[in-house]
Amino acid sequence: MGTYGLKKVSAYLKRYGFKTLFRKVLERHSNKSDYNSSRHKELATQSELAEQRQHRFDYEPVISIIMPAFNTPEKSLIQTLTSVLEQSYTKWELCIADGGNLPVQDIVNKVFENDSRVKYKALKENKGISGNSNAGIEMANGDYIAFLDHDDILEPNVLYEVVRKINCGAEMVYTDED
């Protein structure tokens, strides 16, 4: 997980330009073997996740997870939804904007069993990832917004780590891969 203050990124962009910033980001993430070997060292253990569930931050914002959906295969959708449900930080809401015609709402209800943190809206038409995301944002009431693709998996401690960084003064938190 990388954390970048908006001012820091803006200053770097002004000084070196977009091309250099883009190159730096690519270099940082180019060696997948290093990533895969170090990734397993970073995963939270079950005991760490249990401690995280008990931890109370000074500031505990609600994270609105925006998930645009469109004809997601059931298996992928269940994995994505389960990864949200298993978060060690529990002050979140999931805002699903569905532009497809598969029975997504039935699957959502099966996974979450009427969890009040989940909001679902069936769109009249697919508006693409941007339009569906915007419809999800319209449902959001949280303090922060996170974006989740309908076939992504969240590590169980990702929201905890984001809130930890926010409590350390981060103005923006960027995560990719994990």
Side-chain angles (χ1 to χ4, degrees), residues 5-42:
L6 190 54
K7 290 178 185 176
K8 190 174 180 180
V9 171
S10 180
Y12 191 94
L13 188 59
K14 273 184 185 176
R15 185 170 182 184
Y16 299 105
F18 180 78
K19 197 175 200 180
T20 304
L21 175 65
F22 185 72
R23 193 174 314 134
K24 186 160 183 87
V25 170
L26 285 179
E27 287 172 6
R28 185 171 181 157
H29 295 289
S30 66
N31 195 338
K32 290 295 183 183
S33 64
D34 284 349
Y35 166 76
N36 287 329
S37 64
S38 66
R39 178 181 177 272
H40 294 290
K41 296 175 191 171
E42 301 297 324

PDB file of all heavy atoms in Angstrom, residues 5-42:
ATOM      1  N   GLY A   5       0.625  12.131   0.119  1.00  0.00           N
ATOM      2  CA  GLY A   5      -0.125  13.352   0.369  1.00  0.00           C
ATOM      3  C   GLY A   5      -0.378  14.044  -0.952  1.00  0.00           C
ATOM      4  O   GLY A   5       0.488  14.056  -1.828  1.00  0.00           O
ATOM      5  N   LEU A   6      -1.542  14.599  -1.103  1.00  0.00           N
ATOM      6  CA  LEU A   6      -1.904  15.273  -2.342  1.00  0.00           C
ATOM      7  C   LEU A   6      -0.923  16.400  -2.653  1.00  0.00           C
ATOM      8  O   LEU A   6      -0.520  16.584  -3.796  1.00  0.00           O
ATOM      9  CB  LEU A   6      -3.328  15.816  -2.229  1.00  0.00           C
ATOM     10  CG  LEU A   6      -3.980  16.343  -3.484  1.00  0.00           C
ATOM     11  CD1 LEU A   6      -3.943  15.310  -4.601  1.00  0.00           C
ATOM     12  CD2 LEU A   6      -5.407  16.741  -3.198  1.00  0.00           C
ATOM     13  N   LYS A   7      -0.496  17.130  -1.626  1.00  0.00           N
ATOM     14  CA  LYS A   7       0.459  18.218  -1.840  1.00  0.00           C
ATOM     15  C   LYS A   7       1.799  17.681  -2.337  1.00  0.00           C
ATOM     16  O   LYS A   7       2.442  18.282  -3.187  1.00  0.00           O
ATOM     17  CB  LYS A   7       0.652  19.005  -0.545  1.00  0.00           C
ATOM     18  CG  LYS A   7      -0.557  19.814  -0.157  1.00  0.00           C
ATOM     19  CD  LYS A   7      -0.338  20.535   1.152  1.00  0.00           C
ATOM     20  CE  LYS A   7      -1.606  21.251   1.578  1.00  0.00           C
ATOM     21  NZ  LYS A   7      -1.476  21.875   2.889  1.00  0.00           N
ATOM     22  N   LYS A   8       2.216  16.540  -1.785  1.00  0.00           N
ATOM     23  CA  LYS A   8       3.495  15.947  -2.175  1.00  0.00           C
ATOM     24  C   LYS A   8       3.467  15.527  -3.646  1.00  0.00           C
ATOM     25  O   LYS A   8       4.407  15.799  -4.400  1.00  0.00           O
ATOM     26  CB  LYS A   8       3.778  14.744  -1.268  1.00  0.00           C
ATOM     27  CG  LYS A   8       5.159  14.182  -1.380  1.00  0.00           C
ATOM     28  CD  LYS A   8       5.349  13.090  -0.335  1.00  0.00           C
ATOM     29  CE  LYS A   8       6.717  12.489  -0.398  1.00  0.00           C
ATOM     30  NZ  LYS A   8       6.902  11.441   0.598  1.00  0.00           N
ATOM     31  N   VAL A   9       2.393  14.891  -4.054  1.00  0.00           N
ATOM     32  CA  VAL A   9       2.261  14.456  -5.449  1.00  0.00           C
ATOM     33  C   VAL A   9       2.190  15.670  -6.363  1.00  0.00           C
ATOM     34  O   VAL A   9       2.827  15.713  -7.414  1.00  0.00           O
ATOM     35  CB  VAL A   9       1.020  13.549  -5.630  1.00  0.00           C
ATOM     36  CG1 VAL A   9       0.758  13.275  -7.095  1.00  0.00           C
ATOM     37  CG2 VAL A   9       1.205  12.235  -4.876  1.00  0.00           C
ATOM     38  N   SER A  10       1.416  16.670  -5.943  1.00  0.00           N
ATOM     39  CA  SER A  10       1.282  17.881  -6.749  1.00  0.00           C
ATOM     40  C   SER A  10       2.636  18.578  -6.932  1.00  0.00           C
ATOM     41  O   SER A  10       2.980  19.014  -8.029  1.00  0.00           O
ATOM     42  CB  SER A  10       0.276  18.825  -6.086  1.00  0.00           C
ATOM     43  OG  SER A  10       0.139  19.985  -6.843  1.00  0.00           O
ATOM     44  N   ALA A  11       3.402  18.672  -5.844  1.00  0.00           N
ATOM     45  CA  ALA A  11       4.721  19.318  -5.919  1.00  0.00           C
ATOM     46  C   ALA A  11       5.660  18.528  -6.828  1.00  0.00           C
ATOM     47  O   ALA A  11       6.398  19.112  -7.632  1.00  0.00           O
ATOM     48  CB  ALA A  11       5.317  19.448  -4.523  1.00  0.00           C
ATOM     49  N   TYR A  12       5.641  17.208  -6.732  1.00  0.00           N
ATOM     50  CA  TYR A  12       6.481  16.363  -7.576  1.00  0.00           C
ATOM     51  C   TYR A  12       6.090  16.544  -9.039  1.00  0.00           C
ATOM     52  O   TYR A  12       6.948  16.665  -9.922  1.00  0.00           O
ATOM     53  CB  TYR A  12       6.363  14.896  -7.149  1.00  0.00           C
ATOM     54  CG  TYR A  12       7.393  14.005  -7.793  1.00  0.00           C
ATOM     55  CD1 TYR A  12       8.593  13.716  -7.164  1.00  0.00           C
ATOM     56  CD2 TYR A  12       7.179  13.460  -9.055  1.00  0.00           C
ATOM     57  CE1 TYR A  12       9.543  12.905  -7.766  1.00  0.00           C
ATOM     58  CE2 TYR A  12       8.117  12.654  -9.661  1.00  0.00           C
ATOM     59  CZ  TYR A  12       9.304  12.373  -9.010  1.00  0.00           C
ATOM     60  OH  TYR A  12      10.246  11.585  -9.614  1.00  0.00           O
ATOM     61  N   LEU A  13       4.798  16.570  -9.282  1.00  0.00           N
ATOM     62  CA  LEU A  13       4.288  16.738 -10.641  1.00  0.00           C
ATOM     63  C   LEU A  13       4.721  18.082 -11.230  1.00  0.00           C
ATOM     64  O   LEU A  13       5.176  18.150 -12.372  1.00  0.00           O
ATOM     65  CB  LEU A  13       2.766  16.626 -10.631  1.00  0.00           C
ATOM     66  CG  LEU A  13       2.034  16.583 -11.954  1.00  0.00           C
ATOM     67  CD1 LEU A  13       2.496  15.396 -12.790  1.00  0.00           C
ATOM     68  CD2 LEU A  13       0.541  16.489 -11.714  1.00  0.00           C
ATOM     69  N   LYS A  14       4.624  19.147 -10.438  1.00  0.00           N
ATOM     70  CA  LYS A  14       5.054  20.471 -10.900  1.00  0.00           C
ATOM     71  C   LYS A  14       6.547  20.493 -11.210  1.00  0.00           C
ATOM     72  O   LYS A  14       6.983  21.079 -12.192  1.00  0.00           O
ATOM     73  CB  LYS A  14       4.760  21.527  -9.836  1.00  0.00           C
ATOM     74  CG  LYS A  14       3.397  22.103  -9.903  1.00  0.00           C
ATOM     75  CD  LYS A  14       3.258  23.213  -8.871  1.00  0.00           C
ATOM     76  CE  LYS A  14       1.849  23.731  -8.838  1.00  0.00           C
ATOM     77  NZ  LYS A  14       1.668  24.734  -7.790  1.00  0.00           N
ATOM     78  N   ARG A  15       7.324  19.871 -10.340  1.00  0.00           N
ATOM     79  CA  ARG A  15       8.781  19.931 -10.478  1.00  0.00           C
ATOM     80  C   ARG A  15       9.300  19.076 -11.623  1.00  0.00           C
ATOM     81  O   ARG A  15      10.176  19.490 -12.374  1.00  0.00           O
ATOM     82  CB  ARG A  15       9.426  19.502  -9.170  1.00  0.00           C
ATOM     83  CG  ARG A  15      10.921  19.651  -9.176  1.00  0.00           C
ATOM     84  CD  ARG A  15      11.495  19.448  -7.820  1.00  0.00           C
ATOM     85  NE  ARG A  15      12.934  19.661  -7.877  1.00  0.00           N
ATOM     86  CZ  ARG A  15      13.744  19.477  -6.870  1.00  0.00           C
ATOM     87  NH1 ARG A  15      13.255  19.107  -5.711  1.00  0.00           N
ATOM     88  NH2 ARG A  15      15.018  19.669  -7.002  1.00  0.00           N
ATOM     89  N   TYR A  16       8.767  17.853 -11.754  1.00  0.00           N
ATOM     90  CA  TYR A  16       9.325  16.908 -12.721  1.00  0.00           C
ATOM     91  C   TYR A  16       8.426  16.619 -13.920  1.00  0.00           C
ATOM     92  O   TYR A  16       8.866  16.015 -14.896  1.00  0.00           O
ATOM     93  CB  TYR A  16       9.650  15.585 -12.019  1.00  0.00           C
ATOM     94  CG  TYR A  16      10.672  15.744 -10.926  1.00  0.00           C
ATOM     95  CD1 TYR A  16      10.297  15.704  -9.598  1.00  0.00           C
ATOM     96  CD2 TYR A  16      12.009  15.947 -11.223  1.00  0.00           C
ATOM     97  CE1 TYR A  16      11.217  15.854  -8.572  1.00  0.00           C
ATOM     98  CE2 TYR A  16      12.954  16.095 -10.214  1.00  0.00           C
ATOM     99  CZ  TYR A  16      12.552  16.051  -8.899  1.00  0.00           C
ATOM    100  OH  TYR A  16      13.474  16.212  -7.894  1.00  0.00           O
ATOM    101  N   GLY A  17       7.154  16.950 -13.841  1.00  0.00           N
ATOM    102  CA  GLY A  17       6.236  16.694 -14.945  1.00  0.00           C
ATOM    103  C   GLY A  17       5.577  15.326 -14.854  1.00  0.00           C
ATOM    104  O   GLY A  17       6.005  14.438 -14.126  1.00  0.00           O
ATOM    105  N   PHE A  18       4.494  15.184 -15.634  1.00  0.00           N
ATOM    106  CA  PHE A  18       3.696  13.957 -15.599  1.00  0.00           C
ATOM    107  C   PHE A  18       4.490  12.739 -16.075  1.00  0.00           C
ATOM    108  O   PHE A  18       4.405  11.666 -15.500  1.00  0.00           O
ATOM    109  CB  PHE A  18       2.432  14.114 -16.451  1.00  0.00           C
ATOM    110  CG  PHE A  18       1.578  12.891 -16.449  1.00  0.00           C
ATOM    111  CD1 PHE A  18       0.757  12.611 -15.371  1.00  0.00           C
ATOM    112  CD2 PHE A  18       1.602  12.004 -17.508  1.00  0.00           C
ATOM    113  CE1 PHE A  18      -0.018  11.480 -15.350  1.00  0.00           C
ATOM    114  CE2 PHE A  18       0.837  10.858 -17.499  1.00  0.00           C
ATOM    115  CZ  PHE A  18       0.013  10.596 -16.416  1.00  0.00           C
ATOM    116  N   LYS A  19       5.267  12.922 -17.120  1.00  0.00           N
ATOM    117  CA  LYS A  19       6.019  11.807 -17.698  1.00  0.00           C
ATOM    118  C   LYS A  19       6.971  11.186 -16.672  1.00  0.00           C
ATOM    119  O   LYS A  19       7.041   9.966 -16.527  1.00  0.00           O
ATOM    120  CB  LYS A  19       6.806  12.313 -18.917  1.00  0.00           C
ATOM    121  CG  LYS A  19       7.287  11.245 -19.844  1.00  0.00           C
ATOM    122  CD  LYS A  19       7.945  11.921 -21.064  1.00  0.00           C
ATOM    123  CE  LYS A  19       8.009  10.998 -22.225  1.00  0.00           C
ATOM    124  NZ  LYS A  19       8.629  11.626 -23.389  1.00  0.00           N
ATOM    125  N   THR A  20       7.681  12.011 -15.933  1.00  0.00           N
ATOM    126  CA  THR A  20       8.622  11.514 -14.916  1.00  0.00           C
ATOM    127  C   THR A  20       7.867  10.870 -13.760  1.00  0.00           C
ATOM    128  O   THR A  20       8.281   9.828 -13.251  1.00  0.00           O
ATOM    129  CB  THR A  20       9.518  12.662 -14.409  1.00  0.00           C
ATOM    130  OG1 THR A  20      10.176  13.242 -15.539  1.00  0.00           O
ATOM    131  CG2 THR A  20      10.549  12.167 -13.421  1.00  0.00           C
ATOM    132  N   LEU A  21       6.756  11.480 -13.345  1.00  0.00           N
ATOM    133  CA  LEU A  21       5.942  10.883 -12.278  1.00  0.00           C
ATOM    134  C   LEU A  21       5.438   9.512 -12.706  1.00  0.00           C
ATOM    135  O   LEU A  21       5.530   8.541 -11.954  1.00  0.00           O
ATOM    136  CB  LEU A  21       4.764  11.801 -11.931  1.00  0.00           C
ATOM    137  CG  LEU A  21       3.756  11.244 -10.922  1.00  0.00           C
ATOM    138  CD1 LEU A  21       4.406  11.047  -9.562  1.00  0.00           C
ATOM    139  CD2 LEU A  21       2.555  12.177 -10.812  1.00  0.00           C
ATOM    140  N   PHE A  22       4.916   9.427 -13.924  1.00  0.00           N
ATOM    141  CA  PHE A  22       4.398   8.158 -14.440  1.00  0.00           C
ATOM    142  C   PHE A  22       5.507   7.105 -14.494  1.00  0.00           C
ATOM    143  O   PHE A  22       5.321   5.959 -14.095  1.00  0.00           O
ATOM    144  CB  PHE A  22       3.784   8.380 -15.823  1.00  0.00           C
ATOM    145  CG  PHE A  22       3.119   7.170 -16.387  1.00  0.00           C
ATOM    146  CD1 PHE A  22       1.914   6.727 -15.865  1.00  0.00           C
ATOM    147  CD2 PHE A  22       3.684   6.472 -17.434  1.00  0.00           C
ATOM    148  CE1 PHE A  22       1.292   5.605 -16.379  1.00  0.00           C
ATOM    149  CE2 PHE A  22       3.080   5.355 -17.964  1.00  0.00           C
ATOM    150  CZ  PHE A  22       1.875   4.913 -17.435  1.00  0.00           C
ATOM    151  N   ARG A  23       6.691   7.479 -14.971  1.00  0.00           N
ATOM    152  CA  ARG A  23       7.830   6.564 -15.056  1.00  0.00           C
ATOM    153  C   ARG A  23       8.208   6.057 -13.664  1.00  0.00           C
ATOM    154  O   ARG A  23       8.480   4.885 -13.464  1.00  0.00           O
ATOM    155  CB  ARG A  23       9.009   7.260 -15.729  1.00  0.00           C
ATOM    156  CG  ARG A  23      10.112   6.291 -16.129  1.00  0.00           C
ATOM    157  CD  ARG A  23      11.225   6.959 -16.924  1.00  0.00           C
ATOM    158  NE  ARG A  23      10.707   7.827 -17.978  1.00  0.00           N
ATOM    159  CZ  ARG A  23      11.139   9.049 -18.212  1.00  0.00           C
ATOM    160  NH1 ARG A  23      12.107   9.569 -17.511  1.00  0.00           N
ATOM    161  NH2 ARG A  23      10.626   9.773 -19.182  1.00  0.00           N
ATOM    162  N   LYS A  24       8.219   6.951 -12.682  1.00  0.00           N
ATOM    163  CA  LYS A  24       8.570   6.587 -11.315  1.00  0.00           C
ATOM    164  C   LYS A  24       7.569   5.573 -10.752  1.00  0.00           C
ATOM    165  O   LYS A  24       7.953   4.605 -10.103  1.00  0.00           O
ATOM    166  CB  LYS A  24       8.635   7.819 -10.426  1.00  0.00           C
ATOM    167  CG  LYS A  24       9.137   7.533  -9.031  1.00  0.00           C
ATOM    168  CD  LYS A  24       9.639   8.801  -8.401  1.00  0.00           C
ATOM    169  CE  LYS A  24      10.221   8.565  -7.053  1.00  0.00           C
ATOM    170  NZ  LYS A  24      11.620   8.210  -7.072  1.00  0.00           N
ATOM    171  N   VAL A  25       6.286   5.797 -11.007  1.00  0.00           N
ATOM    172  CA  VAL A  25       5.257   4.857 -10.548  1.00  0.00           C
ATOM    173  C   VAL A  25       5.458   3.491 -11.213  1.00  0.00           C
ATOM    174  O   VAL A  25       5.398   2.453 -10.552  1.00  0.00           O
ATOM    175  CB  VAL A  25       3.842   5.400 -10.825  1.00  0.00           C
ATOM    176  CG1 VAL A  25       2.786   4.340 -10.585  1.00  0.00           C
ATOM    177  CG2 VAL A  25       3.571   6.624  -9.962  1.00  0.00           C
ATOM    178  N   LEU A  26       5.721   3.493 -12.518  1.00  0.00           N
ATOM    179  CA  LEU A  26       5.950   2.229 -13.226  1.00  0.00           C
ATOM    180  C   LEU A  26       7.177   1.495 -12.690  1.00  0.00           C
ATOM    181  O   LEU A  26       7.151   0.281 -12.497  1.00  0.00           O
ATOM    182  CB  LEU A  26       6.107   2.463 -14.724  1.00  0.00           C
ATOM    183  CG  LEU A  26       4.839   2.757 -15.495  1.00  0.00           C
ATOM    184  CD1 LEU A  26       5.165   3.003 -16.966  1.00  0.00           C
ATOM    185  CD2 LEU A  26       3.848   1.627 -15.362  1.00  0.00           C
ATOM    186  N   GLU A  27       8.264   2.218 -12.460  1.00  0.00           N
ATOM    187  CA  GLU A  27       9.481   1.597 -11.922  1.00  0.00           C
ATOM    188  C   GLU A  27       9.212   0.970 -10.564  1.00  0.00           C
ATOM    189  O   GLU A  27       9.667  -0.132 -10.282  1.00  0.00           O
ATOM    190  CB  GLU A  27      10.594   2.644 -11.780  1.00  0.00           C
ATOM    191  CG  GLU A  27      11.201   3.076 -13.069  1.00  0.00           C
ATOM    192  CD  GLU A  27      12.158   4.254 -12.892  1.00  0.00           C
ATOM    193  OE1 GLU A  27      12.432   4.662 -11.746  1.00  0.00           O
ATOM    194  OE2 GLU A  27      12.621   4.758 -13.919  1.00  0.00           O
ATOM    195  N   ARG A  28       8.471   1.678  -9.765  1.00  0.00           N
ATOM    196  CA  ARG A  28       8.192   1.194  -8.408  1.00  0.00           C
ATOM    197  C   ARG A  28       7.409  -0.117  -8.425  1.00  0.00           C
ATOM    198  O   ARG A  28       7.538  -0.942  -7.537  1.00  0.00           O
ATOM    199  CB  ARG A  28       7.427   2.271  -7.652  1.00  0.00           C
ATOM    200  CG  ARG A  28       7.212   1.919  -6.216  1.00  0.00           C
ATOM    201  CD  ARG A  28       6.647   3.089  -5.475  1.00  0.00           C
ATOM    202  NE  ARG A  28       6.488   2.695  -4.099  1.00  0.00           N
ATOM    203  CZ  ARG A  28       6.438   3.519  -3.105  1.00  0.00           C
ATOM    204  NH1 ARG A  28       6.517   4.796  -3.322  1.00  0.00           N
ATOM    205  NH2 ARG A  28       6.278   3.085  -1.898  1.00  0.00           N
ATOM    206  N   HIS A  29       6.556  -0.289  -9.424  1.00  0.00           N
ATOM    207  CA  HIS A  29       5.699  -1.463  -9.467  1.00  0.00           C
ATOM    208  C   HIS A  29       6.080  -2.451 -10.579  1.00  0.00           C
ATOM    209  O   HIS A  29       5.307  -3.337 -10.885  1.00  0.00           O
ATOM    210  CB  HIS A  29       4.246  -1.028  -9.639  1.00  0.00           C
ATOM    211  CG  HIS A  29       3.753  -0.253  -8.471  1.00  0.00           C
ATOM    212  ND1 HIS A  29       3.507  -0.830  -7.261  1.00  0.00           N
ATOM    213  CD2 HIS A  29       3.506   1.067  -8.314  1.00  0.00           C
ATOM    214  CE1 HIS A  29       3.103   0.085  -6.400  1.00  0.00           C
ATOM    215  NE2 HIS A  29       3.102   1.249  -7.016  1.00  0.00           N
ATOM    216  N   SER A  30       7.249  -2.300 -11.149  1.00  0.00           N
ATOM    217  CA  SER A  30       7.598  -3.124 -12.305  1.00  0.00           C
ATOM    218  C   SER A  30       8.074  -4.525 -11.949  1.00  0.00           C
ATOM    219  O   SER A  30       7.914  -5.446 -12.715  1.00  0.00           O
ATOM    220  CB  SER A  30       8.652  -2.417 -13.160  1.00  0.00           C
ATOM    221  OG  SER A  30       9.859  -2.320 -12.435  1.00  0.00           O
ATOM    222  N   ASN A  31       8.670  -4.709 -10.805  1.00  0.00           N
ATOM    223  CA  ASN A  31       9.228  -6.010 -10.477  1.00  0.00           C
ATOM    224  C   ASN A  31       8.228  -6.841  -9.696  1.00  0.00           C
ATOM    225  O   ASN A  31       8.175  -6.836  -8.480  1.00  0.00           O
ATOM    226  CB  ASN A  31      10.531  -5.853  -9.686  1.00  0.00           C
ATOM    227  CG  ASN A  31      11.299  -7.141  -9.641  1.00  0.00           C
ATOM    228  OD1 ASN A  31      10.723  -8.217  -9.827  1.00  0.00           O
ATOM    229  ND2 ASN A  31      12.583  -7.064  -9.391  1.00  0.00           N
ATOM    230  N   LYS A  32       7.406  -7.606 -10.416  1.00  0.00           N
ATOM    231  CA  LYS A  32       6.337  -8.398  -9.807  1.00  0.00           C
ATOM    232  C   LYS A  32       6.882  -9.518  -8.921  1.00  0.00           C
ATOM    233  O   LYS A  32       6.246  -9.885  -7.952  1.00  0.00           O
ATOM    234  CB  LYS A  32       5.418  -8.996 -10.873  1.00  0.00           C
ATOM    235  CG  LYS A  32       4.574  -7.972 -11.574  1.00  0.00           C
ATOM    236  CD  LYS A  32       3.603  -7.337 -10.613  1.00  0.00           C
ATOM    237  CE  LYS A  32       2.716  -6.360 -11.335  1.00  0.00           C
ATOM    238  NZ  LYS A  32       1.817  -5.661 -10.461  1.00  0.00           N
ATOM    239  N   SER A  33       8.052 -10.073  -9.234  1.00  0.00           N
ATOM    240  CA  SER A  33       8.570 -11.155  -8.392  1.00  0.00           C
ATOM    241  C   SER A  33       8.901 -10.634  -7.002  1.00  0.00           C
ATOM    242  O   SER A  33       8.642 -11.297  -6.004  1.00  0.00           O
ATOM    243  CB  SER A  33       9.786 -11.823  -9.039  1.00  0.00           C
ATOM    244  OG  SER A  33      10.849 -10.901  -9.141  1.00  0.00           O
ATOM    245  N   ASP A  34       9.475  -9.432  -6.917  1.00  0.00           N
ATOM    246  CA  ASP A  34       9.712  -8.822  -5.610  1.00  0.00           C
ATOM    247  C   ASP A  34       8.396  -8.602  -4.884  1.00  0.00           C
ATOM    248  O   ASP A  34       8.277  -8.838  -3.699  1.00  0.00           O
ATOM    249  CB  ASP A  34      10.448  -7.497  -5.744  1.00  0.00           C
ATOM    250  CG  ASP A  34      11.919  -7.675  -6.053  1.00  0.00           C
ATOM    251  OD1 ASP A  34      12.414  -8.820  -5.965  1.00  0.00           O
ATOM    252  OD2 ASP A  34      12.568  -6.675  -6.391  1.00  0.00           O
ATOM    253  N   TYR A  35       7.415  -8.134  -5.635  1.00  0.00           N
ATOM    254  CA  TYR A  35       6.102  -7.884  -5.046  1.00  0.00           C
ATOM    255  C   TYR A  35       5.512  -9.177  -4.484  1.00  0.00           C
ATOM    256  O   TYR A  35       5.087  -9.227  -3.338  1.00  0.00           O
ATOM    257  CB  TYR A  35       5.156  -7.281  -6.088  1.00  0.00           C
ATOM    258  CG  TYR A  35       3.725  -7.309  -5.634  1.00  0.00           C
ATOM    259  CD1 TYR A  35       3.270  -6.394  -4.691  1.00  0.00           C
ATOM    260  CD2 TYR A  35       2.837  -8.270  -6.108  1.00  0.00           C
ATOM    261  CE1 TYR A  35       1.972  -6.423  -4.245  1.00  0.00           C
ATOM    262  CE2 TYR A  35       1.535  -8.304  -5.665  1.00  0.00           C
ATOM    263  CZ  TYR A  35       1.110  -7.383  -4.736  1.00  0.00           C
ATOM    264  OH  TYR A  35      -0.174  -7.429  -4.284  1.00  0.00           O
ATOM    265  N   ASN A  36       5.469 -10.216  -5.284  1.00  0.00           N
ATOM    266  CA  ASN A  36       4.850 -11.464  -4.848  1.00  0.00           C
ATOM    267  C   ASN A  36       5.586 -12.096  -3.679  1.00  0.00           C
ATOM    268  O   ASN A  36       4.964 -12.658  -2.782  1.00  0.00           O
ATOM    269  CB  ASN A  36       4.741 -12.451  -6.019  1.00  0.00           C
ATOM    270  CG  ASN A  36       3.665 -12.045  -6.989  1.00  0.00           C
ATOM    271  OD1 ASN A  36       2.672 -11.441  -6.608  1.00  0.00           O
ATOM    272  ND2 ASN A  36       3.867 -12.351  -8.259  1.00  0.00           N
ATOM    273  N   SER A  37       6.914 -12.005  -3.661  1.00  0.00           N
ATOM    274  CA  SER A  37       7.654 -12.604  -2.545  1.00  0.00           C
ATOM    275  C   SER A  37       7.482 -11.801  -1.266  1.00  0.00           C
ATOM    276  O   SER A  37       7.401 -12.361  -0.175  1.00  0.00           O
ATOM    277  CB  SER A  37       9.137 -12.746  -2.891  1.00  0.00           C
ATOM    278  OG  SER A  37       9.722 -11.479  -3.072  1.00  0.00           O
ATOM    279  N   SER A  38       7.397 -10.479  -1.368  1.00  0.00           N
ATOM    280  CA  SER A  38       7.241  -9.661  -0.163  1.00  0.00           C
ATOM    281  C   SER A  38       5.789  -9.577   0.282  1.00  0.00           C
ATOM    282  O   SER A  38       5.513  -9.340   1.454  1.00  0.00           O
ATOM    283  CB  SER A  38       7.801  -8.261  -0.392  1.00  0.00           C
ATOM    284  OG  SER A  38       7.030  -7.577  -1.350  1.00  0.00           O
ATOM    285  N   ARG A  39       4.849  -9.791  -0.609  1.00  0.00           N
ATOM    286  CA  ARG A  39       3.426  -9.682  -0.296  1.00  0.00           C
ATOM    287  C   ARG A  39       3.036 -10.592   0.862  1.00  0.00           C
ATOM    288  O   ARG A  39       2.331 -10.168   1.776  1.00  0.00           O
ATOM    289  CB  ARG A  39       2.595 -10.010  -1.523  1.00  0.00           C
ATOM    290  CG  ARG A  39       1.112  -9.958  -1.282  1.00  0.00           C
ATOM    291  CD  ARG A  39       0.350 -10.312  -2.559  1.00  0.00           C
ATOM    292  NE  ARG A  39      -1.049 -10.332  -2.287  1.00  0.00           N
ATOM    293  CZ  ARG A  39      -1.703 -11.395  -1.855  1.00  0.00           C
ATOM    294  NH1 ARG A  39      -1.077 -12.529  -1.649  1.00  0.00           N
ATOM    295  NH2 ARG A  39      -3.003 -11.339  -1.619  1.00  0.00           N
ATOM    296  N   HIS A  40       3.490 -11.811   0.832  1.00  0.00           N
ATOM    297  CA  HIS A  40       3.096 -12.773   1.861  1.00  0.00           C
ATOM    298  C   HIS A  40       3.628 -12.387   3.240  1.00  0.00           C
ATOM    299  O   HIS A  40       3.026 -12.725   4.250  1.00  0.00           O
ATOM    300  CB  HIS A  40       3.524 -14.184   1.463  1.00  0.00           C
ATOM    301  CG  HIS A  40       2.796 -14.663   0.246  1.00  0.00           C
ATOM    302  ND1 HIS A  40       1.455 -14.967   0.256  1.00  0.00           N
ATOM    303  CD2 HIS A  40       3.202 -14.830  -1.033  1.00  0.00           C
ATOM    304  CE1 HIS A  40       1.065 -15.322  -0.953  1.00  0.00           C
ATOM    305  NE2 HIS A  40       2.106 -15.247  -1.754  1.00  0.00           N
ATOM    306  N   LYS A  41       4.721 -11.657   3.281  1.00  0.00           N
ATOM    307  CA  LYS A  41       5.265 -11.194   4.558  1.00  0.00           C
ATOM    308  C   LYS A  41       4.391 -10.105   5.166  1.00  0.00           C
ATOM    309  O   LYS A  41       4.427  -9.883   6.365  1.00  0.00           O
ATOM    310  CB  LYS A  41       6.688 -10.659   4.366  1.00  0.00           C
ATOM    311  CG  LYS A  41       7.678 -11.694   3.910  1.00  0.00           C
ATOM    312  CD  LYS A  41       9.019 -11.039   3.621  1.00  0.00           C
ATOM    313  CE  LYS A  41       9.942 -12.020   2.918  1.00  0.00           C
ATOM    314  NZ  LYS A  41      11.152 -11.362   2.442  1.00  0.00           N
ATOM    315  N   GLU A  42       3.641  -9.418   4.322  1.00  0.00           N
ATOM    316  CA  GLU A  42       2.841  -8.280   4.760  1.00  0.00           C
ATOM    317  C   GLU A  42       1.417  -8.639   5.157  1.00  0.00           C
ATOM    318  O   GLU A  42       0.722  -7.820   5.745  1.00  0.00           O
ATOM    319  CB  GLU A  42       2.790  -7.218   3.652  1.00  0.00           C
ATOM    320  CG  GLU A  42       4.136  -6.687   3.243  1.00  0.00           C
ATOM    321  CD  GLU A  42       4.850  -5.961   4.371  1.00  0.00           C
ATOM    322  OE1 GLU A  42       4.194  -5.291   5.174  1.00  0.00           O
ATOM    323  OE2 GLU A  42       6.095  -6.088   4.445  1.00  0.00           O
TER     324      GLU A  42
END
